[in-house]
Amino acid sequence: MTDEVVHVSAPARLHLGFLDPGAHWGRRFGGIGLALEEPETRLAIAKSDSVQVTGPEARRIEAHLAVMKDRLDLAGGYRIHCESAIPAHAGLGSGTQLALALACGLRRLEGLPLDIEGDANALGRGKRSGLGASFLTRGGLAVDGGKGDEETPPPVVARFDFPEDWRIVLAFERDAAGIHGDAEIEAFATLPRFSREAAGEISALTLMQVLPGVAEADINLFGQGVARIQALVGSHFASAQGGVFASSRVAQCMECLADLGAHGIGQSSWGPTGFAFAPDETSAKTLVARAGERGATQGLDLQIVRGRNGGAAIERREAEPVPVRRSRTG
């Protein structure tokens, strides 16, 4: 009998901005996010006599596995290979996607129903945003309604397919990391309260520019809304991260791309990853090439990606047989 392997691919996400980190209307944070085709976290999970974890993020996977085995009362071992991982601490939701990819794959392997919200809570994800968890079931551009009194991730209150032709230019700074862990908790605790006026403006921009821009595939309207939201949010967090952008190199690149005609420049979450939007593949390639000619991409890796309108792919397959090596004689 051939062993079965569950393959999971979970999408990265852009965090385009908070709605109300100050909780002026009772619910805290709220956010706008977009699922991406790349980068993604890919896991292969099979039953085994012992726990064997290979590939990047092995320690984090082992920790998540221990939580899920206890949560689901599973006694057996598992062989898990991480084929690829979303870059950690880059503002792309790597922690949530890794944890929930493992949870979803384990449940599918064991024939158990998915429980993304419950698993997110058990694994310590979704404390501020419900976007990462929602992108496991469906992609696109989504808005969550902020954290209330419930322990589960915030509810998604709006969701649209992202235009197929549009492209996102990502700018990664090599060997750099955004604020995370205890430093992130401290930053939220020490920053002044987000202003009511800024929260009101961001909410209006989301409802009257960002969402209509996506719904009507109007990249100018969409980009204007995103850029203004990013300016408001970035200014608030500037004292914690050293500027509107966490990376001066990314900031220079984003300013150059905006000057060249890119739409909706910004930084995802705490960064340092920057992003900009283009109406199609050709325009995106032209933007990247011209930014390179101006010297604005030095020390950065730029990648052109699509939005992702579907959720995680979870596939159950038979393990490929290991070929028998035969010795040759004579």
Side-chain angles (χ1 to χ4, degrees):
M1 182 176 176
T2 307
D3 291 336
E4 288 186 317
V5 181
V6 169
H7 294 262
V8 185
S9 68
R13 64 99 181 99
L14 288 183
H15 194 269
L16 304 182
F18 285 119
L19 300 181
D20 183 15
H24 292 283
W25 287 275
R27 301 183 70 90
R28 193 177 184 197
F29 298 116
I32 316 159
L34 171 65
L36 303 176
E37 283 287 358
E38 299 177 81
E40 62 180 1
T41 290
R42 297 198 303 270
L43 302 180
I45 308 169
K47 293 183 180 180
S48 178
D49 294 333
S50 60
V51 172
Q52 307 166 44
V53 182
T54 57
E57 301 288 7
R59 289 186 178 180
R60 295 173 83 183
I61 292 170
E62 289 174 354
H64 296 323
L65 178 61
V67 172
M68 290 303 300
K69 287 185 65 176
D70 183 64
R71 173 170 165 77
L72 301 177
D73 194 24
L74 302 173
Y78 297 92
R79 184 176 68 254
I80 303 171
H81 177 59
C82 183
E83 299 170 3
S84 68
I86 298 164
H89 312 311
L92 298 176
S94 62
T96 295
Q97 301 309 92
L98 184 71
L100 294 180
L102 183 279
C104 290
L106 196 62
R107 283 179 174 273
R108 180 63 57 85
L109 185 66
E110 295 290 352
L112 299 171
L114 298 184
D115 180 11
I116 291 174
E117 289 191 352
D119 290 341
N121 184 50
L123 292 164
R125 315 309 306 180
K127 293 181 178 179
R128 282 179 287 276
S129 171
L131 298 169
S134 76
F135 291 149
L136 266 291
T137 55
R138 53 183 182 171
L141 184 134
V143 178
D144 81 58
K147 192 73 172 176
D149 296 330
E150 300 295 325
E151 291 298 324
T152 53
V156 170
V157 296
R159 187 261 173 205
F160 289 87
D161 276 354
F162 192 72
E164 293 287 345
D165 289 340
W166 291 8
R167 295 292 183 269
I168 307 99
V169 178
L170 302 178
F172 301 93
E173 182 167 12
R174 301 162 197 157
D175 302 320
I179 295 175
H180 60 278
D182 292 340
E184 180 182 17
I185 294 171
E186 182 179 355
F188 277 116
T190 57
L191 283 167
R193 190 181 187 190
F194 198 79
S195 77
R196 185 183 181 90
E197 292 74 20
E201 183 178 353
I202 290 172
S203 297
L205 288 166
T206 301
L207 185 60
M208 302 305 291
Q209 291 192 336
V210 174
L211 295 182
V214 170
E216 297 182 343
D218 183 340
I219 198 168
N220 290 303
L221 183 64
F222 170 80
Q224 289 169 13
V226 170
R228 177 58 180 162
I229 289 169
Q230 281 286 309
L232 290 167
V233 174
S235 295
H236 177 75
F237 290 102
S239 61
Q241 64 183 13
V244 173
F245 288 86
S247 161
S248 59
R249 285 180 175 174
V250 171
Q252 179 185 8
C253 181
M254 292 299 107
E255 290 168 5
C256 179
L257 288 173
D259 185 57
L260 291 169
H263 301 270
I265 66 164
Q267 170 182 288
S268 184
S269 189
W270 288 104
T273 304
F275 60 78
F277 295 90
D280 51 53
E281 183 83 14
T282 300
S283 300
K285 289 180 177 178
T286 299
L287 285 168
V288 171
R290 293 182 65 187
E293 291 168 359
R294 293 190 181 187
T297 62
Q298 292 183 3
L300 303 176
D301 294 320
L302 269 62
Q303 184 178 5
I304 299 169
V305 302
R306 300 169 181 260
R308 180 164 172 163
N309 288 322
I314 308 172
E315 300 178 349
R316 192 168 184 157
R317 312 175 196 163
E318 289 187 349
E320 296 181 2
V322 178
V324 177
R325 294 180 177 270
R326 298 184 183 276
S327 60
R328 294 190 295 178
T329 59

